[in-house]
């Protein structure tokens, strides 16, 4: 009878687990006494204005644009996070995350290149094991390089005018022969390069355990899966961060082969190091990041300074400066300046306004404002640009 009872309990728990997944009872819903599945997400929508955003179809002259846009500061997204305690200090985890445009309801299924167009979980899909020694996660992982560079951004690595603009506007994935069209879309666009630096398909990621003497970090390797070549389309990334609460040091490294698999050439390479310091309501930071492509010769340095000030429980102010030094083409340098303010209506919901200005050299095309707009419509070469974003964001 004891065996029959155990079998019945196992069957019951299996049915309950399936029911939770099927019915979407994910708001910290328990599939068992030591298991949980949590639904989370972000909705961010607002007005977005950019000067010199493209050509007026009637006159052909450079003109500004005003749009209702999703993801001015944070990409709109939803996800599921699962944890199962299997005893002995071990847990099984999974996480899936999908981005979407809150202004249209459309999913972000068209990017990134090259292997997951039309993917449902464009922002990651992993399953793994957590133990006293750390964790191992398999699937489409956040890169350790992202873990390092985002930790070095004192204002939060937001879409609008922060260190994220370096990741999504660097030239390391560009093909010079494609001109401006190749920057905005296609296999060699800046968008695809930035996304490839952020998420890595077919990857194995090890992460240090939490509270490891102030250190955090990880090591990732992606197998390209090409017959006869283990290195073709492969990616390696690593990071190591440290904090004592007030002072933080962050670093990251990334090295990827040609993502198309047509060659075995080194393609996307980057490293970053930065530090942040928190003193009461003020958090400030500096960061250096280099992006290279040995195949095309692209070689860019970005220098970043940022600060965030929590003036009251409701009011938060930010300021960012990003300097681009182009070592391949000195006339393609630029500076990006941004100030922002946010007012919290509640713990979940915030109103925000950001203003940014990009000062470009004759061949520079660093865009101001949100990456979600810049990536599909980059700044006009050699022209300065103003950008304003204002909207509402809620998290759940």
């Amino acid at each position: 009878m004891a065996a029959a009872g155990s079998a019945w309990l196992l069957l019951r728990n299996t049915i309950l687990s399936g029911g939770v997944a099927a019915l979407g009872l994910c708001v910290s819903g328990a599939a068992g006494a030591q298991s949980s599945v949590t639904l989370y997400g972000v909705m961010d929508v607002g007005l977005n204005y950019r000067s010199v955003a493209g050509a007026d179809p009637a006159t052909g002259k450079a003109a500004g644009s005003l749009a209702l846009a999703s993801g001015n500061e944070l990409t709109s997204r939803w996800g599921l996070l699962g944890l199962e305690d299997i005893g002995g200090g071990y847990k099984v985890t999974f996480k899936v995350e999908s981005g979407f445009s809150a202004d249209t309801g459309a999913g972000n299924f068209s990017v990134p290149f090259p292997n997951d167009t039309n993917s449902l979980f464009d922002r990651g899909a992993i399953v793994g094991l957590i133990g006293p020694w750390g964790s191992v996660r398999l699937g489409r992982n956040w890169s350790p390089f992202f873990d390092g560079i985002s930790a070095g951004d004192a204002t939060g690595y937001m879409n609008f005018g922060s260190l994220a603009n370096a990741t999504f506007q660097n030239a390391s994935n560009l093909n010079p022969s494609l001109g401006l069209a190749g920057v905005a879309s296609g296999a060699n666009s800046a968008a695809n390069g930035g996304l490839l630096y952020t998420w890595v398909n077919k990857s194995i990621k090890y992460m240090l355990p939490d509270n490891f003497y102030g250190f955090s970090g990880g090591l990732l390797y992606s197998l390209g899966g090409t017959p006869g070549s283990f290195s073709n389309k492969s990616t390696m990334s690593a990071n190591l961060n440290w904090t004592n609460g007030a002072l933080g040091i962050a670093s990251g490294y990334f090295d990827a082969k040609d993502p198309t698999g047509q060659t075995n050439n080194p393609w996307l390479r980057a490293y970053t190091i930065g530090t942040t310091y928190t003193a009461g309501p003020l958090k400030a930071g500096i960061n250096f990041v280099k992006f290279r492509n040995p195949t095309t010769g692209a070689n860019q340095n970005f220098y970043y300074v940022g600060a965030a000030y929590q003036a009251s429980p409701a009011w938060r102010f930010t300021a960012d400066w990003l300097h681009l030094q182009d070592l391949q083409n000195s006339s393609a340098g630029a500076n990006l300046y941004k100030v922002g303010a946010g007012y919290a209506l509640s713990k979940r919901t915030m109103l925000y306004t950001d203003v940014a200005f990009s000062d470009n050299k004759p061949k520079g095309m660093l865009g101001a404002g949100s990456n979600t707009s810049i990536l599909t419509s980059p700044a006009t070469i050699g022209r300065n640009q103003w950008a304003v974003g204002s909207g509402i964001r809620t998290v759940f």
Side-chain angles (χ1 to χ4, degrees):
M1 293 297 292
S6 297
W8 160 245
L9 288 174
L10 178 61
L11 177 61
R12 185 194 67 177
N13 288 339
T14 301
I15 294 172
L16 287 174
S17 299
V20 167
L23 296 176
L25 301 178
C26 304
V27 185
S28 298
Q34 295 177 318
S35 301
S36 66
V37 180
T38 302
L39 170 68
Y40 67 91
V42 178
M43 293 279 285
D44 183 331
V45 183
L47 293 174
N48 186 299
Y49 168 77
R50 292 190 302 135
S51 68
V52 198
D56 185 323
T59 64
K61 296 181 179 180
S65 67
L66 177 65
L68 185 71
S70 175
N72 275 334
E73 286 197 338
L74 296 180
T75 302
S76 297
R77 72 196 76 159
W78 69 274
L80 297 172
L81 174 64
L83 284 172
E84 179 188 12
D85 192 332
I86 58 175
Y90 289 88
K91 295 180 181 179
V92 175
T93 185
F94 77 85
K95 183 179 180 180
V96 291
E97 188 172 297
S98 181
F100 62 94
S101 297
D103 55 324
T104 65
N108 295 346
F109 301 150
S110 61
V111 292
F113 175 86
N115 296 320
D116 48 354
T117 299
N118 297 321
S119 62
L120 174 59
F121 298 114
D122 61 302
R123 296 181 59 85
I126 62 96
V127 62
L129 183 67
I130 303 172
W133 39 262
S135 64
V136 174
R137 303 164 191 246
L138 311 178
R140 177 169 169 78
N141 277 288
W142 292 92
S143 76
F145 173 78
F146 166 84
D147 296 334
I149 193 172
S150 59
D153 189 329
T155 62
Y157 201 73
M158 293 187 174
N159 289 336
F160 199 106
S162 77
L163 192 54
N165 288 58
T167 304
F168 286 95
Q169 293 193 67
N170 72 84
S172 61
N173 193 48
L174 305 183
N175 183 339
S177 66
L178 297 178
L180 189 61
V183 176
S185 63
N188 296 114
S189 69
N192 284 321
L195 291 162
L196 290 167
Y197 279 115
T198 307
W199 294 280
V200 184
N201 289 339
K202 303 180 183 297
S203 60
I204 304 169
K205 183 179 182 181
Y206 165 76
M207 298 177 67
L208 289 171
D210 295 336
N211 302 316
F212 188 70
Y213 304 100
F215 289 96
S216 63
L219 181 66
L220 174 145
Y221 188 78
S222 170
L223 297 91
T226 301
S229 175
F230 290 139
S231 64
N232 187 263
K233 294 191 294 184
S234 65
T235 298
M236 195 278 281
S237 181
N239 86 294
L240 185 64
N241 302 341
W242 175 85
T243 181
N244 68 353
L247 177 66
I249 300 174
S251 65
Y253 175 77
F254 190 94
D255 189 346
K257 296 295 182 68
D258 182 351
T260 69
Q262 296 177 1
T263 72
N264 206 33
N265 294 335
W267 196 258
L268 302 176
R269 285 184 174 174
Y271 65 84
T272 182
I273 186 167
T275 183
T276 59
Y277 186 78
T278 303
L282 177 66
K283 183 177 183 180
I286 59 175
N287 192 285
F288 169 79
V289 56
K290 175 183 279 291
F291 292 95
R292 295 195 63 193
N293 185 331
T295 300
T296 65
N299 189 356
Q300 293 181 320
N301 295 335
F302 288 86
Y303 302 87
Y304 169 79
V305 177
Y309 180 66
Q310 192 71 46
S312 71
W315 283 102
R316 182 175 187 262
F317 300 94
T318 58
D320 303 80
W321 170 62
L322 183 67
H323 172 69
L324 164 59
Q325 177 189 28
D326 195 308
L327 301 179
Q328 184 184 38
N329 184 355
S330 61
S331 63
N335 288 284
L336 173 62
Y337 309 90
K338 187 218 83 176
V339 292
Y343 180 78
L345 299 174
S346 67
K347 291 182 179 181
R348 289 176 44 186
T349 304
M350 176 172 283
L351 302 176
Y352 63 82
T353 297
D354 297 294
V355 180
F357 174 72
S358 61
D359 180 11
N360 285 297
K361 289 187 176 182
K363 296 294 184 181
M365 53 186 304
L366 187 66
S370 175
N371 291 311
T372 55
S373 299
I374 293 168
L375 294 178
T376 55
S377 179
T380 303
I381 295 176
R383 298 289 296 271
N384 300 335
Q385 186 178 68
W386 283 96
V388 179
S390 186
I392 184 171
R393 178 177 68 254
T394 189
V395 299
F396 59 88

